[in-house]
Amino acid sequence: MEKTSYNKVTNDIVELLKKACNGHVLTGDQINDDFCHDEMRIYGTAVPEVVVEAETTEEVSEVMKICNANRIPVTPSGARTDLAGGPVAKYGGVILSTMKMNKILSYDIDNLVVTIQPGVLLNDLAQDALSKGLMYPPDPGEKFATVGGNVSTNAGGMRAVKYGTTRDYVRAMTVVLPTGEIVHEGAAVSKCSSGYGIKDIMIGSEGTLGIITELTLKLIVAPKETMSMIVPFPTLEDAIGSVPKLFAAHLNPQALEFMEKDVVIDTEKLLGKDVYPKTLDGVDINAYVLVTFDGNDQDELMDIIEAASEVVLEAGAVDVLVADTPQQLRDAWAVRSSLLESIEGNTKLLDECDVVVPITKIPEFLTYVKTLQNGHSYTIKDFGHAGDGNLHIYLCSNDDDKEQFMRESGEFMKKAYAKAVELGGLISGEHGIGSGKMDYLKEFAGPVNMRLMRGIKKVFDPNMILNPGKVCFDPEECYED
């Protein structure tokens, strides 16, 4: 396969796009800076030639037909909370925004499913379902991401330890292919053994294979009660060491997170809250486990909390603080939910990896990566999902030399990813590859897997116009057919 080239958007094509989308097209000065980057600007910015704000599946289809016929790159875009450069229009062309496709279309209460458009925000779906006594279990940290974006990266989040990732809740979807063809994958049923799982190929494909325009999602009956424990430990090793013991006790937590003291202190300053103890009984606290359980009533939960308390105290916890009122729950989770915001607010230059390793390997991995900061301009902040081994590692620098930072970050990432793979892990648990992690995926997935992924890409997208420069395909490289 030769290097891929694309055409520019002409005035005639702009007029065709306007006709296809009832005029919902932005050009020139109408395109604001928000369309030029995602949350991780370190991976670059790019100004699209055109932004199309589609409202229907048919509009998306017409846009893709126009762009495919004229070999114009198209970058799908939601709320742009991505952390890997996924929605950045690296090769110009069209950004196709689904933010106006934001309707919750229908509920089927009896079959516990909901049908939505992809631009619905996670927070809005969660709150609307809860008002009906239902829960949409996936719970990524960014509540104002779109659900379509969550599906495109197979976002996990804090409840994944009990309820699974986004993939486990997608029953069906409508997709517009890069050719403009409209396909319907899956169905509102719980089983499928009907040919290749194209729906599952689409989940996590980061907008490189098709544009999702409708989703049917599984719901569950919402638990009646939830209760959390803040568990302080003197060391991170003790904190993580308690996690397998909680599972061995069959306690089935809804969420199981870990945090270190330095990032908690910064976040509490940001929020103006003092929630997590820093010393107890003369013991310095350096790490916390935040555990949530859910159930049918408070009596049931108190029994679980008592059993869990015995486990963590035997594992070295200094104390157990029970958050059993709505305000205490909000405060405990407000800190956890604001950790990244705090890190971003205190950092000029930021890079991130979200490796996933076996739970028992978390301390070994974190101990190793922290040694990598010695002699460098960056410091490391971390937190993560203790229950499933998905770690968020942030390289933070307040120097102004971006070129040096990117060079040092590249060296760090290569070593960190190699260590994660050595320990039996993978280079991304939920944030995806985008453009920022392509070289690392190539190295650690191996040539055969990369060839298979590019082969799938070619089948879905013969002209390679959809979100080029992401995941497995770089237009500037030559590939064997």
Side-chain angles (χ1 to χ4, degrees), residues 150-186:
N150 289 169
V151 173
S152 293
T153 57
N154 187 31
M158 290 170 272
R159 291 198 288 246
V161 62
K162 179 172 183 176
Y163 292 113
T165 64
T166 298
R167 179 183 300 280
D168 301 303
Y169 294 86
V170 180
R171 288 286 177 80
M173 60 173 67
T174 299
V175 179
V176 176
L177 298 179
T179 57
E181 297 164 287
I182 300 170
V183 295
H184 306 281
E185 306 298 343

